[in-house]
Amino acid sequence: MTFVLVGGSTATATIDGISAAGANPALTYHTPAVDLELVTYGRPVFSDILPMSPTGCPTPALITRGVRNLLGFETVAIEAGLAVDTAAPTISVGDSPGADIREAEAVPDAEELFDRASAVGRALSEERVFIGESVPGGTTTALGVMRALGEPYGVSSSLPENPLGRKAEVVEAGLESSAVGYGDAAGDPLEAVRLVGDPVMPTVMGVAAGALDSGTAVTLAGGTQMVAAAALLRHLGVEADLSLATTVFVDEDTEDLQDATDALDIDLTVTDPRFDQTDHVAMRQYCQGEAKEGVGMGVHWRSQQNVRPR
Amino acid sequence: MTFVLVGGSTATATIDGISAAGANPALTYHTPAVDLELVTYGRPVFSDILPMSPTGCPTPALITRGVRNLLGFETVAIEAGLAVDTAAPTISVGDSPGADIREAEAVPDAEELFDRASAVGRALSEERVFIGESVPGGTTTALGVMRALGEPYGVSSSLPENPLGRKAEVVEAGLESSAVGYGDAAGDPLEAVRLVGDPVMPTVMGVAAGALDSGTAVTLAGGTQMVAAAALLRHLGVEADLSLATTVFVDEDTEDLQDATDALDIDLTVTDPRFDQTDHVAMRQYCQGEAKEGVGMGVHWRSQQNVRPR
């Protein structure tokens, strides 16, 4: 297997109360750059910042790194608008972080990101790729594009208490400032991304579309951000098989996850890392609803005994 | 083994008659970006330009790729001032191509490149790394820093007829515009690079110094540019074992190669890919003195029967 990890930033994450992917909103800009270093090297290299939530729950990148040590899978990291440099080897498809979705345009270069990522997806010659992401603020932008596409599904959160009201407010302001209403971008997913998305989205779409195009199977390894990526692909006209691997933590936070994946014709796997069977403080924090997912961590326990029956 | 490939550009390559690493001087800017793609994917991805010399001799990246297919070694590509985007996964240590060495300052960010590359070198946990380069114009900048360091050794060329007179002229103009005389930068190698070097040099130095610092052995895989890198490391005070692997083509073009490596206390291996035993037009071009080396190609035939006795 090859694990493709797409890292990028959006100013949307710096809005108060939106993201737990950083000890404070400004530090969310460091998170994707360091997440890529953690998965690659097992430690931060260009900085000494370990990404953690405001309450000290460490980034899921550490879990992915731990599993990588055990399984030894290959990783291809893709950079889609990082605000901070990373020491990880990355394929750069774009340099600019996304704007706050309350601006008129969130991702001006959405089409270019998609085109370049497609070329990369086609160049990966693998049987199957697993695509993960690190983009703080990504569930808010996910909610934004779902509404612009006219998809009614909800999103999860990296915070223990999902700030759905705050997210809905930001998304509403975003749709208004971009003059796009519910469903106005149906069938035009790159337009939805351009107006209210983030730069990781067209990159995940491009890698997936390019890989599928060249006969590589695709599993989206993530939570509701990857449901949004799947919705974007369906609105692009991609009809190939798609699967989604996520965690019980996301599943428990997202009432309509099964409905969404059914409607979008996505094969859903919910895995349970059994963090309740350990007393390590960080894993207990996951059980209490922190972080939940990210950096592809959901994919790794895809063994029968840990897959929760649906 | 891990093969570390550093790619970067210098405007020095666009001076007429300096480099054969491109069908024309402007195209030398594409060469390192595509070389990285060729070693990674086996084909250009973001463009359809195959780097070749003005007479059509293809880039040594193809040879390295071919050998990589046979041996399956791991590659880490590092970007040090590319003028053109690459689809290869790279660790970016700097964004700016070097200036023409006839400007006052050739590599303003030499120290930063070195520091970042050192962090990367320390993060590589390997028994031995082989460091190759792709930087058109690199033998001219190599001549520049050797003179600034007060090292008397000559350089090879990617052209069949080494334009030594043209290079000496450019270097003289470079030293003059930077107000640095022969040997003025002895013991201050990053100053030599800043004034008359290219961005690949401090990156190769940093990777090597960081790797050696953490107990990883280092082979410089290249021609006289790597002799210059070794000289820069010695002037930095690095006393650890260093080896250089190059080709017979470089050796035949460089009268004082053995003297230089003896003086700098570098273990020299000259390998012969036996291109004279094939009638493929591209390999014949190597025998006629085209390209000679680059993208680490010298390292790959490091087996006893192909090593020419010295």
Side-chain angles (χ1 to χ4, degrees), chain B residues 226-274:
Chain B
M226 286 301 176
V227 175
L232 288 161
L233 284 163
R234 294 302 186 214
H235 279 259
L236 195 70
V238 171
E239 292 176 355
D241 287 348
L242 275 175
S243 58
L244 179 85
T246 195
T247 62
V248 285
F249 311 120
V250 167
D251 185 41
E252 283 160 11
D253 195 42
T254 320
E255 224 169 77
D256 53 10
L257 186 64
Q258 185 76 58
D259 293 345
T261 52
D262 284 351
L264 295 164
D265 192 19
I266 305 163
D267 176 43
L268 173 65
T269 302
V270 176
T271 60
D272 185 350
R274 302 280 167 93

Side-chain angles (χ1 to χ4, degrees), chain A:
Chain A
M1 68 168 271
T2 290
F3 175 52
V4 177
L5 175 55
V6 184
S9 285
T10 161
T12 311
T14 65
I15 303 171
D16 242 11
I18 285 291
S19 175
N24 63 54
L27 279 179
T28 61
Y29 275 142
H30 282 266
T31 299
V34 185
D35 277 351
L36 299 184
E37 293 179 351
L38 288 170
V39 173
T40 305
Y41 301 107
R43 62 177 178 86
V45 175
F46 279 170
S47 78
D48 53 6
I49 297 169
L50 184 73
M52 55 180 71
S53 75
T55 57
C57 178
T59 168
L62 291 182
I63 300 165
T64 298
R65 171 65 190 196
V67 179
R68 191 183 176 202
N69 282 350
L70 292 172
L71 301 186
F73 52 82
E74 201 191 331
T75 299
V76 173
I78 303 187
E79 193 173 325
L82 288 182
V84 168
D85 291 332
T86 185
T90 58
I91 301 169
S92 177
V93 296
D95 293 332
S96 311
D100 186 328
I101 59 168
R102 296 170 304 179
E103 308 279 330
E105 219 181 8
V107 189
D109 55 346
E111 291 222 19
E112 201 192 337
L113 289 165
F114 175 82
D115 288 344
R116 297 181 136 220
S118 304
V120 173
R122 275 189 296 270
L124 300 166
S125 36
E126 299 290 335
E127 203 177 318
R128 177 175 292 275
V129 293
F130 295 81
I131 309 176
E133 54 66 38
S134 172
V135 51
T139 56
T140 302
T141 51
L143 188 64
V145 297
M146 295 243 251
R147 294 301 174 266
L149 294 174
E151 298 290 351
Y153 308 107
V155 293
S156 181
S157 169
S158 54
L159 288 157
E161 296 295 318
N162 195 339
L164 282 173
R166 183 84 186 105
K167 283 181 186 173
E169 244 173 66
V170 169
V171 164
E172 198 159 322
L175 294 169
E176 199 175 310
S177 67
S178 305
V180 59
Y182 183 90
D184 284 355
D188 195 354
L190 289 173
E191 182 67 359
V193 171
R194 185 177 73 81
L195 298 174
V196 292
D198 66 59
V200 168
M201 291 171 174
T203 309
V204 170
M205 289 170 70
V207 172
L212 290 167
D213 201 40
S214 63
T216 299
V218 171
T219 297
L220 301 169
T224 47
Q225 290 169 245
M226 286 300 177
V227 175
L232 289 162
L233 284 163
R234 294 303 186 213
H235 278 258
L236 195 70
V238 171
E239 292 176 355
D241 288 347
L242 275 175
S243 58
L244 180 85
T246 195
T247 62
V248 285
F249 311 119
V250 166
D251 185 41
E252 282 160 11
D253 195 42
T254 319
E255 223 168 77
D256 53 10
L257 185 64
Q258 185 76 57
D259 293 344
T261 53
D262 284 351
L264 295 165
D265 193 18
I266 304 164
D267 176 44
L268 173 64
T269 302
V270 176
T271 59
D272 186 349
R274 302 282 167 91
F275 286 175
D276 54 350
Q277 292 173 13
T278 151
D279 53 11
H280 191 288
V281 59
M283 296 181 191
R284 300 300 299 182
Q285 284 173 302
Y286 275 83
C287 297
Q288 287 150 21
E290 297 250 12
K292 296 189 188 71
E293 227 297 333
V295 199
M297 75 166 267
V299 76
H300 304 304
W301 293 271
R302 213 185 169 198
S303 62
Q304 214 42 50
Q305 75 274 23
N306 285 348
V307 175
R308 184 173 127 166
R310 297 297 310 225

